[in-house]
Structure formats: C-alpha cells, structure tokens
C-alpha cells in the first residue's frame, strides 16, 4: 500500500517502484493543505473549498428551515401570536433570502467544484485562489446578512425587496441595507464560481474527452455557469442602484423625480426566473449521472439532453415577465411571455422522457440514490404542471400572491433541487468519505422528506385557491382553511425531521460508516476511477479518455490514474500543475501552474467586508480608505499568479513538451478575461436597459432641467479613447518583436490617454446633467458615466501593472499572456465607452 491510497499499480522493476513512491510522496507534499489552523485558513484546494461550500450551504439550509418552522407555527391556526407582524415579515424575508441566495445556488456550486475536476480527470480547478475567495465572500456575506438580528435591523421587505416599500421613505432603518449589501457580498461567490467552472470545463478536460464525451453533469454546470454570467448582473445592478438611492438620494425608483419602481421588478426578475433554472440544471445533471448508473446502461438521448440543457438556458431569459403578469403589462406582451413560459416546458420534458427511457431499457437497481430520483420525478412533475397553469394569464391573475404560488414554488425547488441533491449526496458519498451510509436511516430520511413535503405543500394549493394570501401573518376563521393549515404545519415538522435525519446520516457516514469497496455502484464515469480516499491531487497521471463512460469501456483506467509514469506524472520544480487541453478536441496544449496555499483570498474578502461595514454605517471615509489595501492585495494576487519563474515549456511525458500557460495561446487567464467580460457586459447592458426604460416613462429626455453636453469636450474625450485602442494593437506586436521599450511606451501612452479621457468627460457630464439627486435622468447618466470611468481606471491600472512586469522581465515575446489580457481589457473598455458615449450624447440629440 502507498499512503493509504489503495494497492500500488504493477510496475516492471524495483527501480520503477521506488521512483513511483518518490513521485507520490512529492505529489502528496506539494498538494497538501498545510497543518493546523493556518493550513485551513490558507487552503485553496478545490476539494477542501468545495466541501466548505457544501457544509456551509447545509448550515444555511438548517437556519432557513428553522425560520420556516416559526412561520408555519404562526399560520397553524387563526389568531396565534407566535410572531408579531413585524417579526413575521422579517422571518419570511430571511427564510426566502436564505434558501434562494445562501443555500440553493452555493450548494450546487459546491457539488460542481468538488466533482468537475474529478470527472474531467484534472487535478484541480484552474484558479484555486478564486474559489477560496468566493467561499470567504459567501461566508462573510451570509454572516453580514444575519448580523442584522444583532443590531435589530432585520430586512422585512420580502426576499424580492420590491420598491418603493424598500426605499428610504418606507424602510428608513438599516434592514434593507443589510439585505442589499449582504446578498451582493455573497453573490461574489456565484460569479467567481461561474468564471472558474467555465474555464475548467473548457480547457482542463482529460485528453480524448472532447465535447461529445463530456459527462452530462459537466454540460449542465457549463450551461449554468453561463446563465450565472448573464443572469446575476441584473440583480447586482438593481441592488447597487437601490443602495445608491438609499445612501446618496439618487432617484432611480422614485416617481416624483422621474424614476419608476417597476424598474426594480424588471431587473430583479431578469435574474429571478433564470435563477430557477440556475438551481435546476445542475440538479438535472445529477439525475443524468445517477440514472444511467442504476439503470446499468448509458443514458438514452445524450445529444438531446445536452441540447435541452442549452435550450433551457436560452429560453429562461425570455420569461422574466412571467412574474409580473399582475402589474399592468400590455396584453400583447403578456401573450408573448405566457407562450414563452409554456415553451420552456418542452426541453424539460425531453430530459424527463430520456431519463424514463433509460430506466425502461435498463435493469433498474433501487438503492437510496434512486429512491430520491423517484421522489424527484413525482414532485417535480407536479410542480411543473402547476407552473404551466400559472403561465396562463387569467389563472395567474386569480392565483397571484396566494399560497398556490408558494406551493408551486416549493414543489419546483424541493422537487427540482433537494431530491436530486440528496440523490447526488448519497451517490457520491462513498467517493468523498470512502464509506457507505446507513441503509435504514437513509431510507427513513427519504420517506420522512417525501411524505412531509407533500403533506406540507399539497394543501397550500387548496388554501391558495380559496384565497389565502402569502406573506400575511394571520387569517380569518371564516376562510375555512384552518384545518388545512394545521396539517401543513404538522407535516412541515415531519419534513424538517427528515432533512435532519439525512444530514445526521451523512455526518455519521464519515466516522462510522462501513468501508466502501472501489466503485460501489459500478458507475462508468471517471471520478470513480480515483483512489479512495481521494488524494488532494486527484490523479497521479492524467488519463486518456476514449468514451463517455471510461470505466465501463476500459476498467484498467483506474490503475492508470494511480501510476506516475503517464501524463504529468511528477511535480516539476515542486509546483502544483494541471494539464490544459483544447476546447473542442481535448488534445494536450499547455501546463497550467496553479497557486499553493495562501492568505490572499481571506485577506481580500476581509478587506471587502470592512469596506462594506464602513458603507452600511455611513462611515464612507472608511470605505474609501479600504480601497487602498484592497487594490494592493489584488495587485499582489496578480503578481504571484502562475509562476513567473516557470520555463516557457515543460516535458509532460517522454517525447511530449508543452508550453506553460504564460506562453500558451489558449491560456486560462485569457478565457477568464473573456468570461469576466461577459459578466461585466451583462452588467453594462442592464444599466443601458435601465436608461432606456426610464426614458420610456419620461415626458422629455433629457429631463429634470438637464442639458445635452457640449460637443467640444465630449468629442475630445471620444478621440482620447483612440490612443488606448491603438495601444491594444501595437503593444503586443512590439512585445512579440522583442521591442520591450516600445511595448512599455505604448502602455504608458494608453495610461495618459485614459487620464485625459476622464479629465474631459466627467466635467462635461457635470455641466450638462448637474447633480445626480435632481432627477432620475441625472442619476442614470452619472451612473452610466461613472461605470465606464471605473473601467477606464481599471484598464489604466492593468496597463501600468503589465508595463512594470515587462520591465522586470516577467513578460516577454514568448510569455506574452499578460500583455494580451491588458490589450483585451482596453479593447473592451473602449468599446464600452463608445456605446456609453452614444447613449449619453448622441441619443438625446437624436430625440
């Protein structure tokens, strides 16, 4: 045995055995998290961070569930005083916020972070520090939100925080601020995970695992990550706009000054409806992994399932008005969104029939994971049917804001998330723990959850149809729903006991469960080829993959991943390395050196926490002051990215030499920039949407006494952006030609031109729009101009940083990645500036 990782592979000679043992020992040392508390605080390994996401998600599930028990007790019988109306509103708000923002999305991200590298045959995610930073932001954001209980300022505006009820006029305390800042803080984890997972799936798959051989779960996570990239920015923008309005008296949502409260609803539900599928698609990916294993055959309709996942991602962004049927939308628009709401059921139906066909044509094995899959089929299909009912506008008008909608939401989320999540938890538990759970306790937990869930929420369909409104703490005995509410309350506790039983079972499994044999479910995907317990580096050598189910097609692959004589079988220079492959072909292309344990993610998240604390306490000087250490930390982060002393190429196997990422065309840093700019572009597009939405409701534009900016300074500012655009073309060319001084000069010219743009454009905005507090027009103009100004400042910072790196010799003609990244960001900033300039200066003139 070697390090408790299972039997050593058969090697041809004692010398080979010795080299194998030495290489394994080196891999163990290089990929170790370190010892004690310091090792835990600085850990960045994907398995460690993913387990933290999962454990933290379950902790928030228990907290949110406890709040729901108080809500159910209050509704058990008319006239009860378990919670007063104010506390009831707070508990309803925090329950919904916790389940949607602190449980549902983060826990599936945790599953993805843990499983994706193992499924793809990779040692880690490409940006380990980014994953760790995301978790710290998630943890601190959740703690920030719940600290509102300590200060007596608990949010009470609902998990959707509709304006004007949450503006400073109707919510003068700090409760709404805790929600806006805490949720936005936690959402950093979602967008960082999206970048991480997009890049990991695109370029770190094992050789041979082309796009047609990817596990369905990887496809589901990839689609979900892109949905997060486009779906979360509208909510982030809405939260920022409302917080700016509350803190600095801007006027985005105030009718008297040209704003519109419905702008919040549009931005929120542009996030909110894709959010449902952001939660569901990874769970559907879990189903597509569990069903073939227990049907003991490959999935039926692989291509159709992948197309259905992609179609669901696209269609989900055309449904946001589904939640706004009762606010006065024109009938023609209602008809379109009603049809779109029914259309999205088609790709979901394709997946359901593919799963049923797989079971029908296989030999189903009914173990605990499959029990939860059966529960998923029953509950989720029922929730989908009530969703189709709510897609009909006349029915929605009758059921809107009643307990019917609450029942539908929970059937979809518990059916579409929790049952697949528990199926995946039990399915991969032997992989994570090396042990098997208790069969009796796990089955008891399932039945308690299944029976409790249906008896809790099925009666709510009836109470809603009778007319019981949601978010109301009491009701009249004459409504005749008291017995149904009592049943729902009693069953809610049964559901809670079931969830606790499952979590206790899982926790006990890590300590008391019987040892699991290798691949206990006889699954076919790559993660089951890994040794148990899984080492921090996952695979000693990166395997070659020949199909969708490698273990079924080539069982000996389990020995290959434990050997150290294959691809990347040693830790060169004692550094952590993963293999980068082609996006489509999955051919080996590069060696990616990733970070070891570091304090940077924790310190960066703490700095953001202090910055936001200064903001919520109105100590804005503290927030401004904290920008300095925060920028310093991120510069240190960038300076230590990869390995600045790494050779331009490394031999990863006899006869195969690959470039390191700084010298590779398809580098992870480049694709991270692309993914980040997609997220930022969605944020910018949402802001432009807000500008035009407010224009539609304004009698004149410009409004509020503002004027169109003069031509001279605005044209001069636009002309200044030509220099960075030229620099983005010339600097990389000069670097590739070996002219380092010329490359530095071009970056310096871009920096000077960026400063000139800011000096010309911002005063022109002040002279034309005036103070942002005067009117919604001035508010949105300043926000749009300020948004772009920040990007110009960031581009200047990146350019100066890269110039220094060139000067120090860390960036050159061969290792040119950072110069390409700086050029790409400048191109984006200039393109964004041209659009913003046209919106701010051409559009009002055209009107």
């Amino acid at each position: 045995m070697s390090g408790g990782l299972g039997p050593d592979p058969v090697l041809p000679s004692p010398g080979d055995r010795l080299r194998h043992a030495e290489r394994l020992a080196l891999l163990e040392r290089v990929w170790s998290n370190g010892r004690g508390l310091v090792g835990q605080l600085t850990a960045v390994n994907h398995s460690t961070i993913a387990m933290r996401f999962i454990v933290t998600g379950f902790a928030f599930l228990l907290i949110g569930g406890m709040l729901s028990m108080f809500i159910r007790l209050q509704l058990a019988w008319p006239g009860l005083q378990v919670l007063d109306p104010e506390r009831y509103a707070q508990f309803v708000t925090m329950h919904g916020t916790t389940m949607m923002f602190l449980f549902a999305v983060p826990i599936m991200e945790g599953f993805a972070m843990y499983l994706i590298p193992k499924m793809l045959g990779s040692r880690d995610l490409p940006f380990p520090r980014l994953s760790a930073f995301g978790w710290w932001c998630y943890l601190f954001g959740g703690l920030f939100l719940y600290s509102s209980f300590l200060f007596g300022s608990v949010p009470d505006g609902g998990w959707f925080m509709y304006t004007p009820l949450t503006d400073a006029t109707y919510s003068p305390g700090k409760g709404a601020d805790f929600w806006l800042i805490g949720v936005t803080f936690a959402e950093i984890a979602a967008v960082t995970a999206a970048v991480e997972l997009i890049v990991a799936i695109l370029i770190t798959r094992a050789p041979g695992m082309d796009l047609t051989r990817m596990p369905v779960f990887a496809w589901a996570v990839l689609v979900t990550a892109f949905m997060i990239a486009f779906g979360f920015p509208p909510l982030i923008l809405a939260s920022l706009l409302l917080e700016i309005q509350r803190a600095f008296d801007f006027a985005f949502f105030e009718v008297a000054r040209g704003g519109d409260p419905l702008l919040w609803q549009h931005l929120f539900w542009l996030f909110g409806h894709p959010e449902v599928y952001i939660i569901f698609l990874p769970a559907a990916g879990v189903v597509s992994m569990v069903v073939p294993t227990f049907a003991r055959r490959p999935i039926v309709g692989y291509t159709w399932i992948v197309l259905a996942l992609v179609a669901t991602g696209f269609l989900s962004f055309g449904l946001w008005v589904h939640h706004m049927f009762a606010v006065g939308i024109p009938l023609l628009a209602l008809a379109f969104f009603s049809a779109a709401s029914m259309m999205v059921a088609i790709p979901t139906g394709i997946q359901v029939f593919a799963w049923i066909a797989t079971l029908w044509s296989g030999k189903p094995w009914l173990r605990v994971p499959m029990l939860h899959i059966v529960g998923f089929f029953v509950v989720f299909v029922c929730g989908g049917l009530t969703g189709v009912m709510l897609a009909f506008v006349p029915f929605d008008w009758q059921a809107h804001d009643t307990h019917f909608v609450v029942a539908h939401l929970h059937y979809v989320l518990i059916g579409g998330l929790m049952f697949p999540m528990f199926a995946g938890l039990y399915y991969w538990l032997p992989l994570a723990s090396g042990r098997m759970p208790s069969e009796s306790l796990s089955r008891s937990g399932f039945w308690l959850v299944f029976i409790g869930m249906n008896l809790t929420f099925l009666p709510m369909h009836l109470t809603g149809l009778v007319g019981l409104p949601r978010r109301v703490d009491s009701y009249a005995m004459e409504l005749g729903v008291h017995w149904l509410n009592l049943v729902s309350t009693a069953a809610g506790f049964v559901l809670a006991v079931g969830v606790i039983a499952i979590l206790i079972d899982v926790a006990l499994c890590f300590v008391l469960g019987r040892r699991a044999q290798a691949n206990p479910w006889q699954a076919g995907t790559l993660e089951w080829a890994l040794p148990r317990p899984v080492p921090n580096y996952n695979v000693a050598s990166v395997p070659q993959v020949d199909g969708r189910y490698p273990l079924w097609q080539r069982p000996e692959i389990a020995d290959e991943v434990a050997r150290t004589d294959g691809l990347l079988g040693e830790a060169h220079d004692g550094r952590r390395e993963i293999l980068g492959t082609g996006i489509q072909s999955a051919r080996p292309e590069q060696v990616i050196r990733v970070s070891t344990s570091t304090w940077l993610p924790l310190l960066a998240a703490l700095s953001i926490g202090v910055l936001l604390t200064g903001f919520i306490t109105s100590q804005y000087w503290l927030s401004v002051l904290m920008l300095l250490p925060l920028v310093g930390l991120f510069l240190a982060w960038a300076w230590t990215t990869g390995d600045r002393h790494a050779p331009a190429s490394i031999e990863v196997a006899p006869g195969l030499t690959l470039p390191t990422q700084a010298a590779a065309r398809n580098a992870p840093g480049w694709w991270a920039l692309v993914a980040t700019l997609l997220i930022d572009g969605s944020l910018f597009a949402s802001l432009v949407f807000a500008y035009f939405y407010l224009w539609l409701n304004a009698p004149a534009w410009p409004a509020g006494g503002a004027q169109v900016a003069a031509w001279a300074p605005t044209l001069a500012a636009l002309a200044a952006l030509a220099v960075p655009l030229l620099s983005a073309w010339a600097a990389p060319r000069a670097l590739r030609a070996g002219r380092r001084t010329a490359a530095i000069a071009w970056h310096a010219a871009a920096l000077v031109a960026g400063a000139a743009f800011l000096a010309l454009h911002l005063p022109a905005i002040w002279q034309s729009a005036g103070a942002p507090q005067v009117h919604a027009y001035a508010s949105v103009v300043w926000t749009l101009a300020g948004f772009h100004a920040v990007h110009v400042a960031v581009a200047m910072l990146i350019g100066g940083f890269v110039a220094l790196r060139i000067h120090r010799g860390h960036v050159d003609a061969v290792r040119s990645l950072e110069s390409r990244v700086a050029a790409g960001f400048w191109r984006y900033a200039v393109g964004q500036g041209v659009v913003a300039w046209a919106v701010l200066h051409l559009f009002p003139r055209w009107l």
Side-chain angles (χ1 to χ4, degrees), residues 503-528:
L503 297 184
I504 290 174
D505 183 33
V506 170
L508 290 176
C509 175
F510 279 87
V511 181
L512 303 175
R514 60 181 174 84
R515 292 286 180 181
Q517 63 181 17
N519 195 5
W521 312 124
Q522 298 304 304
T525 45
L526 198 55
E527 74 273 20
W528 292 104

Side-chain angles (χ1 to χ4, degrees), residues 140-167:
F140 294 158
L143 294 176
F144 192 97
L145 179 63
Y146 269 89
S147 69
S148 60
F149 281 97
L150 299 177
F151 297 102
S153 298
V154 185
D156 59 1
W159 74 274
F160 36 75
M161 295 294 285
Y162 281 170
T163 56
L165 296 178
T166 53
D167 66 19

Side-chain angles (χ1 to χ4, degrees), residues 252-513:
F252 305 107
F253 308 107
E254 186 179 325
V255 175
R257 290 185 287 164
D260 191 338
L262 285 185
L263 173 61
W264 170 272
Q265 290 198 35
H266 281 287
L267 292 172
F268 183 89
W269 291 117
L270 274 168
F271 147 83
H273 203 88
E275 160 87 339
V276 174
Y277 297 98
I278 288 169
I279 292 169
F280 168 67
L281 288 188
V286 171
V287 177
S288 292
M289 302 302 290
V290 174
V291 165
T293 297
F294 289 95
R296 292 179 278 191
R297 58 145 296 148
I299 192 79
V300 170
Y302 172 93
T303 303
W304 284 101
I305 289 177
V306 171
L307 292 174
L309 291 170
V310 175
T312 301
F314 275 106
L315 290 173
S316 67
F317 284 93
L319 308 179
W320 80 92
V321 178
H322 172 97
H323 298 268
M324 300 172 62
F325 283 169
V327 303
I329 302 294
L331 292 178
L332 181 62
L334 291 182
F336 169 81
F337 286 103
S338 178
S341 300
M342 288 180 273
M343 190 183 302
V344 77
I346 296 174
T348 304
I350 289 173
Q351 294 181 78
V352 171
F353 282 114
W355 296 325
I356 293 173
T358 303
L359 292 170
W360 187 271
S361 58
K363 298 177 181 178
W365 184 23
L366 194 61
R367 297 296 297 273
V368 172
M370 270 307 297
L371 273 180
H372 286 277
I373 296 300
V374 172
F376 154 76
F377 281 135
V378 173
V379 175
F380 183 73
V381 169
C382 291
L385 292 174
T386 56
V388 173
M389 293 168 67
L390 289 168
F392 286 94
V393 175
F395 182 85
D396 182 88
W397 284 345
Q398 300 301 315
H400 185 76
D401 261 352
T402 69
H403 273 226
F404 186 95
V405 177
V406 177
H408 159 71
L409 176 66
H410 285 82
Y411 260 80
V412 169
L413 293 181
I414 294 179
L417 169 65
M418 286 188 64
F419 280 110
M421 180 192 69
F422 286 139
L425 188 64
Y426 278 113
Y427 178 64
W428 283 295
L429 191 57
L431 178 70
S433 68
R435 298 174 181 270
M436 299 297 290
S438 164
E439 192 74 15
S440 59
L441 185 55
S442 56
R443 287 179 179 267
S444 299
F446 163 76
W447 285 112
L448 287 170
V449 169
F450 183 79
I451 293 170
M453 182 272 158
N454 281 285
L455 289 181
T456 299
F457 297 105
L458 186 62
M460 288 191 190
H461 293 94
L462 302 177
T463 59
L465 291 175
V466 170
L468 183 63
R470 62 193 298 196
R471 301 186 297 276
V472 174
D473 66 297
S474 189
Y475 53 94
M477 181 73 76
E478 291 75 18
L479 199 58
V481 297
H482 42 285
W483 288 110
L484 290 173
N485 268 320
L486 187 61
V487 169
S488 287
T489 298
F493 281 89
V494 174
L495 170 60
V497 170
V499 171
I500 293 172
I502 289 173
L503 297 184
I504 290 174
D505 183 33
V506 170
L508 290 176
C509 175
F510 279 87
V511 181
L512 303 175

Side-chain angles (χ1 to χ4, degrees), residues 682-697:
S682 178
L683 193 65
F684 178 67
S686 301
L687 184 53
V688 173
F689 167 84
Y691 175 95
F692 284 106
Y693 183 84
L694 293 175
W695 160 67
L696 287 173
N697 293 283

